[in-house]
Amino acid sequence: MDSLKSLIDKQNYDLVIKLTENATNPSDYFYRIAAFTCLGKYEEALNTVQDHQEILIKENLNSLINIHIDLLCCLERYEQAYTALDYYSNLPYQSQIVEETLKKMPDLIEAEEKKNKALGNYSEDEVFAKLTSKDNEEVLFALDLIKKLDVFTYLDEIKKILVKHPNQTIRSFALMLLVSKEVDRELDYLSNQGMMKVNPKNLGRPFAGEFLNTLLRRMDSEFKNTTISQTGAHLVSSLLIYIYPNKLDKDMDEILGAIYLCYEKLTQENMPDISAYAFSHNLNEEILKKYYELIDVANNDLQI
């Protein structure tokens, strides 16, 4: 029998929900919440959080805070989000990561509330204008707005973004919007590897799979530095969005090395010695350099 995590990766959400009906393990509750969330059943996910909050706090407080606040924002319950944040803020100190999460949450809630209010302030013509803007932030904002609108109203413009927008990351976000809306039709898409045919309904999520989970675990265990691991997770996220719907599935050692080298470049503001790093860590220099350049491009794509 597949593990709950494997079932989530395979998008077998209903089965996960069934298997966790009588769960007692706190990690099982997190998978149950994830399954409800992936199905858009935010109320059921929130009920699971609230029913098992104490045991989830002990299991992984940082994840719980992110999940709880995100769910309340999705349900547009912003006052409840602030109340929940106050509750978590008054718990005994647990870690620096939790403190950093708590610190960023007020801005996140405020931004979500403003975005929701803005939705009703934009006409259809204004959304179209943002979709066709040369300002990347305007395009991204429009794509975000359309998450709560009828995507087919804007599909012709989104199809143009999929093949003509100069930034790969924005093309990827446009495709991921159609995936979230389960648009069932064959479309042209300009990926980082060239033009391809895609059906959004048949595509998986970018942030899933055993390879990715292993990669993140190895960053934590091998870097042994929270700052590097967090920066690395951000770099991996940017990379996965950039290459979507293609995935990472090989060359893990070189990818880890490339992440570390990109971190060095970001913090030391100079070009790291790829050849020396490849030699000292017994890595394939050509492959290491390929991933280093790909991560660097992905991380800077919207600034190009």
Side-chain angles (χ1 to χ4, degrees):
M1 180 67 181
D2 289 339
S3 67
L4 292 176
K5 188 197 167 313
S6 177
L7 292 172
I8 288 286
D9 289 342
K10 294 176 181 177
Q11 302 182 37
N12 292 330
Y13 307 128
D14 289 324
L15 180 56
V16 171
I17 292 168
K18 182 174 179 60
L19 291 173
T20 56
E21 283 178 352
N22 300 307
T24 56
N25 189 323
S27 64
D28 291 353
Y29 290 128
F30 277 111
Y31 287 120
R32 183 174 179 83
I33 293 163
F36 278 131
T37 302
C38 290
L39 289 171
K41 297 182 177 181
Y42 303 126
E43 195 70 57
E44 290 89 339
L46 180 62
N47 288 338
T48 305
V49 169
Q50 294 173 336
D51 290 345
H52 306 286
Q53 190 174 32
E54 290 188 12
I55 193 171
L56 293 173
I57 287 172
K58 295 176 181 178
E59 176 71 8
N60 192 327
L61 178 56
N62 191 61
S63 292
L64 177 61
I65 294 169
N66 281 289
I67 291 168
H68 196 175
I69 299 301
D70 283 347
L71 285 171
L72 289 168
C73 287
C74 285
L75 292 166
E76 300 175 20
R77 299 176 187 173
Y78 305 109
E79 289 302 319
Q80 289 185 34
Y82 284 116
T83 299
L85 184 58
D86 285 340
Y87 169 75
Y88 291 125
S89 297
N90 287 315
L91 292 175
Y93 176 86
Q94 185 174 101
S95 69
Q96 185 59 38
I97 294 177
V98 169
E99 293 300 306
E100 291 172 1
T101 296
L102 291 170
K103 186 176 180 180
K104 74 179 182 181
M105 279 300 165
D107 289 339
L108 184 148
I109 298 169
E110 182 181 5
E112 288 296 314
E113 188 170 11
K114 286 181 177 178
K115 183 177 71 177
N116 184 61
K117 289 179 179 177
L119 180 60
N121 296 328
Y122 289 99
S123 67
E124 189 174 292
D125 287 342
E126 287 173 319
V127 177
F128 272 114
K130 290 184 180 298
L131 273 180
T132 57
S133 172
K134 293 182 179 180
D135 184 332
N136 290 334
E137 291 298 325
E138 291 281 282
V139 179
L140 288 171
F141 185 72
L143 293 173
D144 211 25
L145 288 176
I146 295 170
K147 290 178 181 178
K148 295 188 177 182
L149 300 173
D150 179 9
V151 71
F152 291 99
T153 301
Y154 307 94
L155 186 56
D156 286 342
E157 287 302 328
I158 295 173
K159 286 162 65 176
K160 294 176 185 177
I161 292 174
L162 292 178
V163 297
K164 294 183 178 180
H165 199 282
N167 293 101
Q168 180 61 58
T169 300
I170 289 184
R171 297 199 298 272
S172 294
F173 275 123
L175 179 57
M176 287 190 286
L177 168 64
L178 300 185
V179 172
S180 70
K181 291 285 192 175
E182 298 187 338
V183 173
D184 187 11
R185 58 184 65 184
E186 190 176 80
L187 302 170
D188 290 323
Y189 176 65
L190 181 57
S191 76
N192 73 301
Q193 296 184 9
M195 193 68 72
M196 62 193 300
K197 295 286 187 181
V198 295
N199 185 325
K201 186 175 175 63
N202 298 333
L203 295 177
R205 297 174 297 133
F207 307 110
E210 186 56 38
F211 186 92
L212 173 61
N213 293 325
T214 302
L215 179 65
L216 295 174
R217 287 196 296 269
R218 283 191 59 183
M219 278 197 295
D220 286 336
S221 64
E222 295 181 23
F223 293 162
K224 294 181 171 50
N225 182 300
T226 300
T227 301
I228 301 177
S229 294
Q230 288 181 336
T231 303
H234 171 77
L235 292 171
V236 170
S237 175
S238 296
L239 176 60
L240 289 171
I241 293 169
Y242 187 81
I243 68 173
Y244 187 73
N246 301 304
K247 296 183 178 181
L248 300 176
D249 57 8
K250 61 181 180 178
D251 306 321
M252 186 175 293
D253 290 338
E254 282 76 15
I255 293 171
L256 280 168
I259 291 168
Y260 184 82
L261 291 171
C262 284
Y263 169 81
E264 276 198 337
K265 181 184 177 184
L266 289 171
T267 55
Q268 299 179 16
E269 299 183 351
N270 56 16
M271 178 67 179
D273 191 333
I274 295 176
S275 296
Y277 190 92
F279 179 78
S280 64
H281 290 77
N282 195 28
L283 300 175
N284 183 303
E285 182 179 344
E286 184 177 346
I287 295 175
L288 175 64
K289 184 178 180 182
K290 179 188 74 171
Y291 282 110
Y292 171 85
E293 292 175 347
L294 187 58
I295 293 170
D296 189 52
V297 169
N299 191 49
N300 292 287
D301 186 49
L302 290 180
Q303 285 74 51
I304 294 175

